[in-house]
Amino acid sequence: MKGFDYYIPTRILFGKGQLDRLHTQNLPGRKALIVISSGKSVKKYGYLARLQSQLEKAGISYAVYDKVQPNPTKDGVMEAASMAKAENCDFIIGLGGGSAMDSAKATAIMAANPGDLWDYFTGGSGKALPIPNKALPMVAVTTSAGTGTEADPWMVITNTELKEKIGFGCDDTYPVLSVVDPDLMKSVPRVYTAYQGFDALFHSTEGYINIIATPISDIYALKAIELIGKNLAAAVADGNDDGARANIALANTMSGIVESTSCCTSEHSIEHGMSGLYPDLPHGAGLIMISREYYTFFAKSGACDRRMIDMARALGAKSAEDPMDFVDRLVELQKECGVDSLKMSDFGISKEKFPEIISMSRKVGGNMYSQDCVTLTDKDIMEILEKSYR
């Protein structure tokens, strides 16, 4: 058995009503910058007010940055960091979905450091400079189940000027505390429940067929896949189904642990190339669009047959004996969740842009290509995109 590193320093409060415990925790500062999206949901459904009440009970003051975009941008991060500095905040709270979490992590870096975020990011045109100062502590209060970011150090930020969408993380960007309360996820619309659930699924499937998968990541990946296979359609059909919501939230947190102990593969690189060029494309939707052809490529490669069969059985195809059984069950689940007919063309994606998507995916996510158990050529990627196009 090969060796591995295991480091996840995050305290996780998981379960119904856990947000109401926040004031009892040892919070990492005296004034927080609360980072939320530009949308209305965290205010409309009272999540922001509840968080503010918890901070007030704990004697913590706060400021609010409320301009995060669905695909969070470098410019937004720099603006939030400037606000954190001006308000003398000593820790950051991300409240919301993956975009708010990612922005909060990046803000935690830049609130404590000089220069530009792209000075420190690796990949693309990032300068990969050492980060001189420790990031501010960050607390995650998640209202969606998709990225697993409450249990990993990763963030994905878009440089709109360069059209680069890059993932980054380091030890300092693990949340020190995460609140995973399924009650906060009941307001997620049906289609986004599906998008986010498949994002969590692919974090686990990619982590499982990854060449750096470990015995630890395997355990979490297969359990997350199982929970999603059994519960995602129910959560999509009825957002108030407490059991389904809780199980998908748990699967998502487990997928974050997979991300911390293994890694994504080129599936995410390809999608980052897509949504970097087409920022209105929801990340989960982009992954769903290419997933059938992407996993068909690996199923037919012969390089990970046993693992594809393992994933098929975990996802619900109990009698699976062939790698393509995973693809069949994946498509079946997408039909159950009503997302099997997504079209790239509905999001303005043009086939003529495929070469640029491929080039950008390699530029910003080349490290994830190196995690594949089979090397994808540009021709392979082009075939995946062309077969996925509608």
Side-chain angles (χ1 to χ4, degrees), residues 177-300:
L177 172 67
S178 290
V179 176
V180 185
D181 186 338
D183 280 352
L184 306 185
M185 302 172 188
K186 290 182 177 180
S187 59
V188 177
R190 178 176 296 184
V191 69
Y192 281 95
T193 297
Y195 291 169
Q196 293 160 6
F198 278 100
D199 188 14
L201 173 66
F202 297 137
H203 287 155
S204 289
T205 56
E206 291 176 47
Y208 193 66
I209 63 173
N210 200 300
I211 62 170
I212 64 167
T214 73
I216 300 295
S217 66
D218 286 351
I219 292 168
Y220 285 105
L222 289 176
K223 187 61 180 180
I225 293 168
E226 176 189 338
L227 288 169
I228 291 168
K230 288 180 177 178
N231 294 279
L232 184 57
V236 170
D238 179 5
N240 290 311
D241 183 327
D242 284 344
R245 281 290 188 196
N247 281 317
I248 293 300
L250 179 58
N252 182 58
T253 298
M254 288 181 167
S255 78
I257 297 173
V258 175
E259 287 291 274
S260 293
T261 52
S262 182
C263 188
C264 282
T265 62
S266 57
E267 183 181 20
H268 265 68
S269 296
I270 297 168
E271 199 293 319
H272 287 174
M274 293 165 65
S275 53
L277 294 173
Y278 296 91
D280 291 334
L281 173 66
H283 175 57
L287 290 169
I288 292 167
M289 289 173 188
I290 63 173
S291 61
R292 180 180 63 186
E293 298 304 332
Y294 182 84
Y295 286 98
T296 295
F297 174 87
F298 281 92
K300 292 183 176 180

